């Protein structure tokens, strides 16, 4: 009985002190996941290599790319980490391409949102900084550069 009371008090205190983080997590997970329909990838344009970045993982280790453009100098070595490595890691763990893309897009919203929140909150210790941190995090997560086209070059780290 005492454990339940302590656990409930701990959860209440955790939610009371960190409610903006939970709001950021809620917004940063639900909104991007609503963009995915019927198990389909979000892709467009000529970004063929990003349909499955794991296909070019080992090709990125070399200065010559034999898989793109019938062979060409490899100008995408910077895509090796974290983007392509992320996809290969989760492919090896057995996730589907759609679920890997979902995780990638959610992390691209949640991690910057939480980072900006803690940046703003660390500027001042008063309670109003939590609300300012929440507003700043949401505006940073959904700025006009991101909202216009979700999977632009900027989402490919």
């Amino acid at each position: 009985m005492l454990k339940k009371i302590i656990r409930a008090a701990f959860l209440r205190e955790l939610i009371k002190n960190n409610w903006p983080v939970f709001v950021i997590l809620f917004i940063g997970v639900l909104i991007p996941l609503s963009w995915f329909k019927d198990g389909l990838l979000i892709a467009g344009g000529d970004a063929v290599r990003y349909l499955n970045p794991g296909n070019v993982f080992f090709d990125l280790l070399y200065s010559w790319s034999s898989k793109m453009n019938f062979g060409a100098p490899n100008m995408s070595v910077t895509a090796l980490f974290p983007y392509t490595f992320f996809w290969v890691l989760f492919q090896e763990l057995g996730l589907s391409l759609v679920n890997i893309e979902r995780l990638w897009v959610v992390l691209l919203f949640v991690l910057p949102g939480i980072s900006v929140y803690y940046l703003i909150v660390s500027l001042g210790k008063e309670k109003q900084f939590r609300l300012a941190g929440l507003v700043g995090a949401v505006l940073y997560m959904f700025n006009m550069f991101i909202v216009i086209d979700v999977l632009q070059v900027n989402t490919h780290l």
Side-chain angles (χ1 to χ4, degrees):
M1 181 70 173
L2 182 61
K3 284 185 178 181
K4 286 184 180 180
I5 294 171
I6 292 172
R7 197 175 306 143
F10 173 74
L11 285 174
R12 257 193 313 271
E13 194 67 27
L14 181 70
I15 292 171
K16 180 182 172 188
N17 292 335
N18 297 307
W19 65 268
V21 174
F22 291 115
V23 171
I24 292 168
L25 286 171
F26 184 75
I27 291 171
V29 170
L30 286 184
I31 290 177
L33 287 182
S34 71
W35 298 332
F36 290 89
K37 302 291 183 215
D38 301 325
L40 300 173
L41 288 167
I42 297 176
D46 293 331
V48 175
R49 69 182 302 182
Y50 296 113
L51 293 177
N52 186 355
N55 286 340
V56 294
F57 178 72
F58 292 107
D59 208 34
L60 293 175
L61 297 174
Y62 303 100
S63 60
W64 182 260
S65 174
S66 61
K67 292 185 180 176
M68 300 301 286
N69 302 326
F70 299 109
N74 186 3
M75 305 305 254
S76 303
V77 175
T78 56
L80 187 62
F81 185 82
Y83 181 69
T84 308
F85 180 75
F86 179 89
W87 281 73
V88 169
L89 175 68
F90 284 104
Q91 269 186 307
E92 290 298 317
L93 292 175
L95 265 67
S96 68
L97 293 178
V98 174
N99 288 332
I100 296 171
E101 186 179 32
R102 286 178 182 158
L103 181 61
W104 179 257
V105 172
V106 165
L107 288 176
L108 284 177
F109 281 89
V110 170
L111 293 179
I114 290 175
S115 299
V116 168
Y117 170 76
Y118 281 112
L119 171 69
I120 293 172
V121 168
S122 68
L123 295 175
K125 298 298 179 191
E126 294 85 26
K127 289 206 180 220
Q128 67 264 23
F129 276 91
R130 288 196 290 182
L131 182 59
L134 176 61
V135 170
V138 170
L139 289 175
Y140 188 74
M141 289 164 54
F142 296 99
N143 62 62
M144 288 310 292
F145 188 62
I146 295 289
V147 173
I148 290 172
D149 184 11
V150 177
L151 288 181
Q152 296 181 23
V153 176
N154 60 331
T155 60
H156 305 161
L157 286 184

